[in-house]
Structure formats: structure tokens, C-alpha cells
């Protein structure tokens, strides 16, 4: 039986039709949710939306509505006859089928706390979700209204979640859980196959209860109900009609327990977890703005998988509805964090040799570009990689992919780039393909066609680019790579030199990404936006125009704090990108010269301490946003049914330890495509 929930939020806008339509569109934009009813009242300056669907989808739709409302409304200019505390005044959740009231209360608490954290809003819980007896009734909470709430936040109206400070434009929000308003009508419809209530006054009378009126006003409620019935007889719409329409779609509660839909068995079930789903908030796209820190936390959550794919997630004891296959892994993780496997979207793992001397020289004050010009840097690794046999390179690469997997990375990009000449680059790509064929991880191969200029081409740079383009036919024919990369930097390659390479790559059906503005602003970030790159990486010196261009095209900026840490240049300022609504991803940039960084947990810690991300933003940047940077945003990076079952169990009940305890052994278990890998 699906877990069906209804949500009936009240929003403080009922006069501007265009705004109300945009709010409704935010709800409709969430998959698996149906908007059942929408009414507005100009005198009250208030709109009520009724939508329903799967519990997790309804939660996402509630977040989508809150996000849209906070963009549109300003309570400082709001007037209306109806009592209200904020822009989104109240969000009640109603269990319909396959879900208990206790589970609905847990959903309300979770969504309320997420709203508080994401938007810094005071949140109050009411009805069945109330945490205090004086907050059961909605009118008692609303009594001071928006205008009087600020002076009571430290006394009678201390929030249940969020700051004890009024949000100037959004006010506060009340979140709750309550029973359906039409129990009799729904049961009658289920029994007799009817869709209309045999007692036309009941739904309106119960609607009065939802507005907080006491039992002593029963007569007034029934008089109002009779007036509503007469209005219907005359062909006029009433508020109760919207509620009645809901009975056409959902029964009140299941008659018996049934298995979860479209899923009979699981071979992996992890339960009793603090589950971080990183699930999409609306349409699948990279996380930006306030959503950049939303990890989709589910207390006492569970995840189930079968044959390498996630089949369901949930809360509490509902995992008992999932049948287990013979030999299934069934684990109570005892409150530990369970989250998506990390995605590392930028590495240079296919190499031989180390560059310890160069590291010491740079730390003594040498400039990296000067080291490169003197034949060191990339050129030193090219020489060592050329000297190694195919078997040696493959063994080194397999070991490094395995090391990353043990540290929680289940999806990893691997670039060529240490061959420089086309034939040497093809050799590297074939070695990467060999490692990919046996790795438990999902390996994304990238043709780094222009990493540095080989000495024979110093006087004919265009000939080098033509040779790199010439290799594309073989790469496509042998399916050796899915994207093409280039190092666009002062003294390396400029935008005009790389443009024909990227044009040819896109024509061949390959994605493109680039090392952009790492050490200098050379216009590479803006160029990445113009050509529709899959990602722009490094971007420490991207211009304001470049940042705005990335935001307009929703192109992920892949921040590489390890490189800034080891080379010693100023790290990218993540707050610039977050403020501009650029999707932010993190990567290790593992390479032997400028970022010998081991594992995404360290990248997360450096992303927080060096780049200015919050811990939750860094986790999003290392999972779902990193997946988007690899073109895998709909396949991995989140614990959502249908995606690859890449799962990490942390040895902690608080995911923020990833940033707080840099280097701590926090990775307890790793599952790649549903199989225990570490």
C-alpha cells in the first residue's frame, strides 16, 4: 500500500492571481504529487492549496511551495482579514492511506525542522504534532499575528524549531498533522462506491473544526453548512467542494497492510538510520540557493535495494512491509548516518611516479607556472607515466579507485592527460576502460585533450589542437570517454585555442568540461557557460561576469580546495557561488603534483574550512551536485527509488562530523550498486 498524505497549506496571498498561479506551479512541478484544489479569498488575502501523493513527494512539494512563497511575498506589506503569522501561515499534513498518524506527525516534525534550518524561520508545531499542550489549537498560536509576534518570541512564543527571531519578510510558519476532515464521507464512498457525502453538511461542519472553533459553536457551524448546501444547489462553488473532491482520489486509510507498490523484495535493507536522502526538491536539477544545504534528513529512516538499485526509502518501522530475499542484508544501523555514496567529479588517477621534490620546491616559494615552464609539473608526470608499462599503470589505477571506494566514493571521474600526444592519450583511456570494467565503482572516463603543450608543438599550437581533435573519432568508436576536458589558463591554453576542440567534441556527442580560471581570470568560466559545458572546475579566479554566466545556465562550479591547499593560492570563495545561485560541487582533484588528496571526506572538510561552505552544503556538493557535474544527476548522488544503490554508512549519528573531524575514520560501510564494497 502506498504511503499517501494530503497537505493543505495556507498562504498569505489571495489578490495577485499571477503570484498564486506561480505558487500552484511550484506544487505541480513535483513528480508524484497531484494538486487537488486551489482557492483564493481577496478579502482574507489568502490562498489554500490542497495536494496529495506519496509522503516523500508531498514533503518535497511543501518545500517547493515554501521556497516559491518566500521569493514572492513580503509580510511587511501584507494586509487581510484573516489571522496569520507568516507568508506560509500553516502547513497541515493529513494521513490518507498506508500511513499512521504517528508517522504523519514525524513527517510534520521533519519538514518543519527542515524549513526552520533552510530559511531561518521560527516554526511552531500544532494539532497532533504539537509539542506543548497550549499549542494544540491553531488560534492560540496565531493570536499575536505577524505584527505582534516579534515581542513574544522570547516569552510565550518561543519557537519549537528555528531562531527566536522574526523573519522580517516571511514571519513564521505553523506545521502540524491532523486527521482527515471527511472520515464519514470517505468511508461511505469506499463502501458504496459513491463520491458524494450522504450528509452534505458534514464536510463543512468539520471544516469549521479545522479553523479552530470550539464545540460550543456547533449550531453556528451547522447553520453555515446549511447555507453552503443551498449555495451548491444554486450551482455556486463553496470551500467545502474542494475538500469533497479529495474523496474521489484517496480512501481514508487502508483496510489491510499490503506490500509497497511495484516492489516485492529487497536484498539490502538498512534501517534505524539518520537517513540523508538528498532527494530532489522538485524537478531534478542541481541544488542552488537555500536548497544547496538541504540533505533531506529523515530521522529513524531506512533504505531498501534490490539488484543494485534502490527500491524504497521510508521512516520508522514501515520497512517491515518490505519482503527480504534469501540471504538479504538486513541491518539495524543503530542511529548512524546513512547517506548517498560520494561522487568525485574531478580526478587525475591514471599516472605513475610522484612529485615530492616539486612539492618541496613550491613550498620554498617557487611559482607553479614557472615549474611547469621549466619542464616540471605535468611534464614530469608525463615522463613517468610514459615509462610505466600498461600493466603497472592499470594496477596503480585499480588500487587508487579502490582506495577512494574505501573512503566512500562510489562514483568517480578519471581523466587522461598524462600522455599529451594523441596516441599516448588513447593508451591512457584504454587503461581507464580496463579499470572501469572491473571496478565496483561507477567510473566516468574523460579525455583531457589539452593538459599541457608538448615540446614539439611549441611553435605550432594549432597543429596540436588538430591532432587532439583527430583522436575524437577513435574515442567515440571505442567508447573510451564520455567527455572532453582542457586546461584553460594563462600560459597553457586560451579560449580561442580550445574553442574548435570543444565544438568538435560536442558535434561528436561528447560532453565538455574545463579547468577554468584556476590561477588567473582568463574568461574561462564565462566561456564554459557559452558552450554549455557540463561543469567548470577550479574557478578560484572566475570573474563576476563568469559567475553570473554559470548561474544563468545552471552549470556546476566544481571547487577543488585540495589544489588551493597544496599549491598555496587563495581558495575559491564558495559564498560567491552560493549567493549567485551557481550549483556548487566538490572534488578531490587527486593528482601527483598539486593535489595528492585522498578521499572525498577530506575534500568536504576543506570545502568547509577553506572555501566557506556549511557542512550540509559541502555534503550536497559531494553527492547530488557532484553527480550533476558528471551528468549523472538522475542516476546517483541521492537515495531515491530507481537510482543506483550507492550507500555509505558513517560511524557517527551526525553527518557534520565529516567537516568537523577532518581525517577521522568515519566511513563504516560502503555499498556500491547494492553490494558491500568496503
Amino acid at each position: 500500500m502506498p504511503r499517501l498524505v494530503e497537505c493543505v497549506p495556507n498562504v498569505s496571498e489571495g489578490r495577485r492571481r499571477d503570484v498564486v498561479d506561480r505558487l500552484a506551479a511550484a506544487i505541480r512541478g513535483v513528480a508524484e504529487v497531484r494538486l487537488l484544489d486551489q482557492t483564493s479569498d481577496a478579502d482574507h488575502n489568502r490562498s489554500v492549496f490542497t495536494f496529495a501523493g506519496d509522503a516523500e513527494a508531498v514533503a518535497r512539494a511543501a518545500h517547493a511551495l515554501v521556497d516559491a512563497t518566500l521569493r514572492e511575498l513580503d509580510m511587511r506589506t501584507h494586509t487581510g482579514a484573516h489571522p496569520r503569522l507568516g507568508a506560509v501561515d500553516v502547513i497541515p499534513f493529513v494521513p490518507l492511506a498506508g500511513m499512521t498518524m504517528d508517522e504523519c506527525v514525524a513527517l510534520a516534525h521533519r519538514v518543519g525542522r527542515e524549513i526552520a534550518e533552510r530559511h531561518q524561520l521560527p516554526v511552531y508545531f500544532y494539532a497532533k504534532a504539537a509539542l506543548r499542550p497550549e499549542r494544540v489549537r491553531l488560534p492560540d498560536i496565531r493570536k499575536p499575528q505577524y505584527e505582534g509576534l516579534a515581542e513574544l518570541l522570547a516569552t510565550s512564543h518561543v519557537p519549537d524549531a528555528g531562531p527566536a527571531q522574526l523573519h522580517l519578510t516571511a514571519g513564521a510558519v505553523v506545521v502540524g498533522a491532523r486527521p482527515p476532515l471527511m472520515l464519514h464521507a470517505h468511508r461511505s464512498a469506499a463502501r458504496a462506491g459513491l463520491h458524494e457525502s450522504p450528509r452534505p453538511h458534514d464536510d463543512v461542519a468539520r471544516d469549521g473544526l479545522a479553523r479552530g472553533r470550539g464545540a460550543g459553536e456547533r449550531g453556528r457551524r451547522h447553520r453555515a453548512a446549511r447555507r453552503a448546501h443551498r449555495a451548491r444547489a444554486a450551482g455556486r462553488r463553496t470551500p467545502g467542494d474542494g475538500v469533497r473532491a479529495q474523496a474521489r482520489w484517496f480512501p481514508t486509510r487502508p483496510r489491510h497492510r499490503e506490500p509497497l507498490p511495484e516492489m516485492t523484495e529487497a536484498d539490502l535493507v538498512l534501517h534505524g538510520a539518520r537517513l540523508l536522502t538528498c532527494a530532489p526538491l522538485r524537478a531534478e536539477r542541481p541544488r542552488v540557493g537555500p536548497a544547496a544545504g538541504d540533505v533531506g534528513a529523515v530521522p529513524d529512516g531506512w533504505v531498501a535495494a534490490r539488484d543494485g538499485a534502490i527500491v524504497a526509502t521510508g521512516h520508522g518501522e514501515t520497512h517491515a512491509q518490505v519482503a527480504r530475499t534469501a540471504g538479504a542484508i538486513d541491518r539495524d544501523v543503530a542511529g548512524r548516518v546513512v547517506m548517498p555514496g560520494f561522487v568525485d567529479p574531478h580526478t587525475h588517477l591514471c599516472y605513475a611516479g610522484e612529485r615530492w621534490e616539486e612539492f618541496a620546491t613550491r613550498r620554498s616559494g617557487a611559482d607553479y607556472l614557472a615549474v611547469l615552464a621549466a619542464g616540471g609539473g605535468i611534464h614530469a608526470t608525463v615522463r613517468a607515466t610514459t615509462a610505466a608499462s600498461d600493466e603497472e599503470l592499470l594496477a596503480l589505477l585499480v588500487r587508487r579507485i579502490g582506495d577512494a571506494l574505501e573512503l566512500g566514493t562510489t562514483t568517480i571521474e578519471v581523466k587522461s592527460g598524462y600522455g599529451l600526444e594523441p596516441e599516448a592519450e588513447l593508451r591512457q583511456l584504454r587503461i581507464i576502460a580496463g579499470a572501469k570494467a572491473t571496478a565496483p565503482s561507477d567510473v566516468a572516463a574523460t579525455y583531457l585533450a589539452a593538459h599541457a603543450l608538448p615540446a614539439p608543438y611549441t611553435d605550432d599550437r594549432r597543429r596540436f589542437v588538430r591532432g587532439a581533435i583527430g583522436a575524437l573519432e577513435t574515442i567515440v568508436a571505442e567508447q573510451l570517454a564520455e567527455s572532453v576536458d582542457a586546461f584553460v589558463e594563462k600560459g597553457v591554453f586560451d579560449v580561442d585555442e580550445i574553442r574548435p576542440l570543444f565544438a568538435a567534441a560536442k558535434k561528436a556527442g561528447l560532453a565538455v568540461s574545463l579547468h577554468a580560471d584556476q590561477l588567473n581570470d582568463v574568461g574561462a568560466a564565462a566561456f564554459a557557460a557559452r558552450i554549455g559545458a557540463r561543469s567548470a572546475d577550479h574557478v578560484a579566479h572566475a570573474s563576476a561576469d563568469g559567475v553570473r554566466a554559470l548561474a544563468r545556465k545552471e552549470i556546476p562550479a566544481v571547487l577543488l580546495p585540495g589544489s588551493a591547499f597544496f599549491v598555496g593560492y587563495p581558495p575559491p570563495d564558495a559564498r560567491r557561488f552560493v549567493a549567485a545561485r551557481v550549483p556548487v560541487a566538490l572534488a578531490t582533484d587527486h593528482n601527483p603534483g598539486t593535489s595528492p588528496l585522498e578521499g572525498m571526506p577530506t575534500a568536504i572538510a576543506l570545502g568547509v574550512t577553506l572555501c566557506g561552505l556549511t557542512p550540509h552544503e559541502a555534503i550536497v556538493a559531494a553527492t547530488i551536485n557532484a553527480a550533476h557535474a558528471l551528468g549523472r544527476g538522475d542516476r546517483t548522488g541521492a537515495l531515491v527509488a530507481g537510482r543506483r544503490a550507492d550507500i555509505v554508512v558513517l560511524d557517527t549519528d551526525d553527518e557534520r562530523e565529516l567537516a568537523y573531524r577532518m581525517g577521522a575514520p568515519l566511513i563504516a560501510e560502503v555499498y556500491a550498486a547494492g553490494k558491500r564494497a568496503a
Side-chain angles (χ1 to χ4, degrees):
M1 175 67 68
R3 299 170 67 238
L4 299 179
V5 176
E6 178 185 76
C7 187
V8 193
N10 291 213
V11 174
S12 297
E13 176 57 65
R15 296 170 183 168
R16 295 177 293 171
R17 182 69 186 183
D18 59 326
V19 173
V20 175
D21 287 346
R22 286 196 291 273
L23 301 184
I27 298 169
R28 291 193 185 99
V30 178
E32 302 179 25
V33 166
R34 178 173 294 180
L35 180 60
L36 301 175
D37 193 54
Q38 169 189 337
T39 60
S40 298
D41 187 309
D43 292 335
H44 288 175
N45 199 7
R46 183 180 192 81
S47 293
V48 179
F49 302 92
T50 303
F51 54 90
D54 173 76
E56 293 303 316
V58 167
R60 294 196 295 273
H63 278 303
L65 178 64
V66 172
D67 292 347
T69 302
L70 267 58
R71 288 195 300 268
E72 298 279 0
L73 304 191
D74 187 338
M75 287 301 295
R76 292 173 295 185
T77 60
H78 181 269
T79 59
H82 202 288
R84 76 281 185 268
L85 285 184
V88 182
D89 184 50
V90 60
I91 305 176
F93 291 94
V94 182
L96 294 178
M99 195 166 186
T100 66
M101 178 55 73
D102 286 344
E103 291 169 340
C104 199
V105 166
L107 177 69
H109 287 164
R110 186 189 103 204
V111 172
R113 290 179 178 122
E114 290 170 350
I115 291 170
E117 182 176 353
R118 286 173 55 178
H119 301 290
Q120 291 302 294
L121 271 172
V123 172
Y124 302 92
F125 296 117
Y126 88 110
K128 296 291 186 180
L131 300 178
R132 308 182 187 190
E134 66 271 21
R135 292 184 180 170
V136 172
R137 297 181 67 253
L138 186 57
D140 294 337
I141 304 174
R142 276 193 186 135
K143 191 172 183 179
Q145 296 210 52
Y146 168 79
E147 291 77 8
L149 181 60
E151 62 188 48
L152 299 179
L153 282 168
T155 55
S156 64
H157 277 66
V158 174
D160 294 316
Q165 181 177 352
L166 185 69
H167 192 295
L168 291 180
T169 60
V173 62
V174 185
V175 181
R178 59 167 173 76
L181 302 179
M182 290 183 62
L183 295 179
H184 179 75
H186 282 203
R187 287 170 180 165
S188 297
R191 283 197 307 267
L194 300 175
H195 299 309
E196 295 293 330
S197 167
R199 294 176 57 195
H201 311 322
D202 283 358
D203 55 339
V204 180
R206 289 185 174 88
D207 190 50
L209 289 174
R211 295 185 172 90
R213 297 174 186 134
E217 297 178 326
R218 185 181 305 273
R220 188 170 67 179
R221 290 200 305 274
H222 281 280
R223 286 193 295 275
R226 287 193 293 272
R227 287 195 298 272
H229 182 49
R230 288 194 296 270
R232 289 192 199 98
R236 299 193 301 272
R237 184 178 177 82
T238 75
D241 295 330
V243 179
R244 176 180 283 102
Q246 299 159 24
R248 295 183 173 94
W249 300 108
F250 301 107
T252 302
R253 61 182 62 170
R255 295 188 181 185
H256 54 82
R257 292 283 183 182
E258 296 177 356
L260 295 176
E262 300 180 7
M263 187 234 8
T264 57
E265 293 182 322
D267 53 28
L268 170 65
V269 181
L270 303 176
H271 52 91
R274 175 170 168 78
L275 187 71
L276 310 185
T277 65
C278 294
L281 299 178
R282 47 188 100 165
E284 180 54 71
R285 60 203 309 174
R287 300 282 183 90
V288 298
D294 188 339
V295 296
V298 181
D300 193 19
W302 57 265
V303 57
R306 173 78 188 273
D307 296 331
I310 295 170
V311 292
T313 61
H315 165 81
E317 297 303 316
T318 54
H319 66 86
Q321 301 175 50
V322 181
R324 274 67 162 173
T325 64
I329 298 174
D330 187 354
R331 294 256 294 107
D332 183 343
V333 299
R336 291 188 293 181
V337 172
V338 172
M339 63 179 293
F342 300 122
V343 179
D344 191 344
H346 185 124
T347 81
H348 303 259
L349 295 183
C350 190
Y351 67 89
E354 305 293 347
R355 281 153 56 184
W356 298 303
E357 290 298 328
E358 176 192 320
F359 173 68
T361 300
R362 283 203 321 271
R363 298 322 300 163
S364 299
D367 176 73
Y368 175 72
L369 291 179
V371 171
L372 185 65
I378 293 167
H379 298 290
T381 300
V382 169
R383 292 190 293 271
T385 302
T386 302
S389 69
D390 288 2
E391 293 75 14
E392 289 170 332
L393 273 180
L394 179 61
L396 288 167
L397 177 56
V398 168
R399 190 203 76 199
R400 291 173 186 138
I401 292 173
D403 290 346
L405 183 61
E406 288 186 359
L407 291 170
T409 298
T410 52
T411 301
I412 193 164
E413 186 253 21
V414 181
K415 302 179 190 294
S416 66
Y418 292 126
L420 300 188
E421 299 275 7
E423 283 303 318
E425 288 295 308
L426 290 172
R427 174 202 179 211
Q428 278 204 284
L429 289 172
R430 292 182 180 115
I431 290 168
I432 294 169
K436 178 178 181 177
T438 59
S441 311
D442 180 16
V443 178
T446 296
Y447 172 35
L448 180 45
H451 200 189
L453 189 70
Y457 298 89
T458 304
D459 297 325
D460 195 351
R461 301 170 71 88
R462 291 184 180 178
R463 183 165 65 92
F464 171 76
V465 174
R466 287 196 299 271
I469 292 172
L472 293 175
E473 183 178 356
T474 301
I475 288 168
V476 172
E478 297 184 27
Q479 298 182 341
L480 295 177
E482 60 188 62
S483 65
V484 177
D485 196 350
F487 188 8
V488 182
E489 180 54 73
K490 181 179 178 181
V492 189
F493 294 98
D494 63 32
V495 165
D496 290 336
E497 291 168 337
I498 295 305
R499 186 177 283 111
L501 169 65
F502 280 2
K506 297 197 78 172
K507 186 176 181 180
L510 299 172
V512 297
S513 58
L514 63 159
H515 293 55
D517 301 330
Q518 177 183 0
L519 304 171
N520 300 276
D521 173 22
V522 295
F527 174 60
R530 286 197 300 274
I531 63 172
R534 194 165 69 176
S535 69
D537 303 5
H538 284 293
V539 294
H541 289 81
S543 67
D545 287 342
V547 172
R548 286 192 290 269
L550 294 176
R552 284 193 296 271
K553 294 295 185 69
E554 290 190 336
I555 292 174
V558 180
L559 308 187
L560 309 174
S563 180
F565 178 74
F566 281 97
V567 176
Y569 62 82
D573 180 3
R575 301 322 307 170
R576 293 177 65 212
F577 297 93
V578 173
R581 300 182 69 82
V582 176
V584 172
L586 283 170
T588 62
D589 189 26
H590 180 102
N591 72 79
T594 62
S595 184
L597 197 67
E598 295 285 348
M600 286 299 287
T602 304
I604 288 171
L606 292 178
V608 173
T609 57
L610 292 184
C611 300
L613 292 169
T614 69
H616 282 162
E617 287 171 344
I619 289 169
V620 167
T623 52
I624 186 60
N625 275 10
H628 280 287
L630 281 183
R632 285 162 164 73
D634 59 348
R635 292 156 53 189
T636 191
L639 301 183
V640 176
R643 302 199 185 200
R644 187 177 141 109
D646 291 336
I647 304 166
V648 168
V649 181
L650 301 182
D651 193 15
T652 177
D653 60 2
D654 193 325
E655 62 279 3
R656 292 172 296 183
E657 283 204 55
L658 287 166
Y660 181 66
R661 295 178 61 205
M662 185 167 67
L666 294 174
I667 307 302
E669 301 172 24
V670 181
Y671 297 84
K675 303 297 184 184
R676 179 74 181 265

